[in-house]
Each structure stands twice: as C-alpha cells, then as structure tokens.
Amino acid sequence: MDRELADNLEALHPDAFGWALHCCGGDASRAEEVLQNAYLKIVQGRLHHAGASSFRTWWFGVIRLTAHEEFRRLCYRESLLGKLWMQLTGDARDPRPSPSHQAELDEQTLQLRAALAQLPARQAEVLHLVFYQDLTLSEAAAVMKVSVGSVRQHYERGKARLRSLLQPSSDHES
C-alpha cells in the first residue's frame, strides 16, 4: 500500500467508522468487523480507487457494500446456527443477545434515533451521509449508487418526515 493511500485512509478513519456504524444499524462490533474487512480488501489489492469520484465517496461506497456483504453472510450463518441451537436444546427463544446494549443517551438523542429509525432505509442513509459525513448530495448518490435526483427526493422527504416526527404533538398541549 502506498503512503498516499494510507494517509487518506487514516484521515478518513473516524468518519469511516461512523458510516460503518450506521450501515450496521448501530452495532459497534459489526461495524469494526465491516471496516476491518473493507481495509483488508484494499491491502490485499482487491480494490483500487479509479478516480471516477472523490476518494472519500469511493471509500464510503466500499464500506457500504462490505456491510451489505457481511449482513447477508451473518443472516445465513445465524439462520443455520439458530436452527441447530433449537434442535439441540429444544429452546424456542432466540439465543442471540439483544442489540440494545448502548450507552445511556440524553432524551433528545433518543428522540432523534427513534425518529431516524422510523424513516425508510434510503432516507436514513442519505441523511446520515449528508449530515454526519458532510457529503454533498451528488457524493451521497455515488456512495449509494443511485441518481442524484433520487437522492434529492429521499433527502427532502427524509427531512420533512423527521420534522413532523420531532414536532411536539398538539395532543399534549391541551
């Protein structure tokens, strides 16, 4: 790996982890694994930045696709392990731990997370890329591999939906 590539990856690491965390639904251990596998793809020479987009946009696309690959692999493994576990133990409950092991957050953060969770996946992805990762709409479109028009539509609809979800309801004011 050349020095420029290493420097670019190092500079983007905190943002890359944030994006991986989003792509993994907030599961930090899965995000670490996804990011490690994305780094491995580059170190092993399986991927190269061709220059068609900015390095950041390309790297976030690699992370997103790696997260999708890992998710498919995980679902396959868990379905087989879950079936085996139920056959061996006769236990019908899910043996996996709950994913809700998160640090305590203030009420506004919880409300925002709850509102974001109610958005369709594409809208949530666009908002994350634009607000958390400071990408432009065209860069977000490249990461998501959709048209800029589609990203604009998801962006506007996501903002409008978030606004309505975060507004205090008039029922509580009377």
Side-chain angles (χ1 to χ4, degrees):
M1 179 173 8
D2 67 0
R3 188 74 227 153
E4 182 182 357
L5 177 61
D7 289 343
N8 284 337
L9 291 172
E10 185 177 352
L12 288 174
H13 181 74
D15 289 340
F17 181 74
W19 176 237
L21 195 60
H22 172 79
C23 291
C24 294
D27 185 337
S29 63
R30 273 189 50 220
E32 289 172 357
E33 186 173 333
V34 162
L35 199 53
Q36 180 179 359
N37 287 336
Y39 283 129
L40 274 174
K41 288 177 180 180
I42 292 176
V43 170
Q44 293 172 343
R46 295 182 356 208
L47 297 174
H48 300 283
H49 179 239
S53 60
S54 74
F55 182 80
R56 178 186 179 114
T57 301
W58 172 79
W59 180 228
F60 280 28
V62 168
I63 293 167
R64 181 174 181 261
L65 291 175
T66 304
H68 286 297
E69 290 169 358
E70 293 298 315
F71 179 73
R72 284 193 303 271
R73 215 174 282 128
L74 179 69
C75 287
Y76 179 73
R77 273 189 257 138
E78 286 181 348
S79 67
L80 292 176
L81 288 174
K83 289 175 186 174
L84 180 61
W85 178 261
M86 285 190 287
Q87 284 179 351
L88 293 174
T89 63
D91 190 359
R93 67 183 176 85
D94 190 353
R96 292 171 287 163
S98 170
S100 62
H101 297 308
Q102 297 180 356
E104 288 185 26
L105 302 170
D106 62 357
E107 190 169 326
Q108 287 181 341
T109 303
L110 289 173
Q111 288 174 347
L112 181 59
R113 283 183 185 244
L116 283 170
Q118 292 179 39
L119 294 178
R122 290 282 173 129
Q123 291 176 8
E125 279 186 3
V126 169
L127 292 175
H128 181 92
L129 288 170
V130 171
F131 289 110
Y132 287 110
Q133 304 301 335
D134 289 328
L135 294 182
T136 65
L137 293 179
S138 59
E139 290 172 331
V143 168
M144 296 172 65
K145 300 211 182 297
V146 296
S147 71
V148 175
S150 178
V151 165
R152 279 193 186 110
Q153 190 171 41
H154 290 303
Y155 177 71
E156 292 302 325
R157 287 181 180 173
K159 285 192 315 182
R161 180 78 176 126
L162 263 183
R163 200 174 296 119
S164 70
L165 289 170
L166 294 174
Q167 298 248 329
S169 69
S170 58
D171 298 338
H172 298 298
E173 294 174 5
S174 41

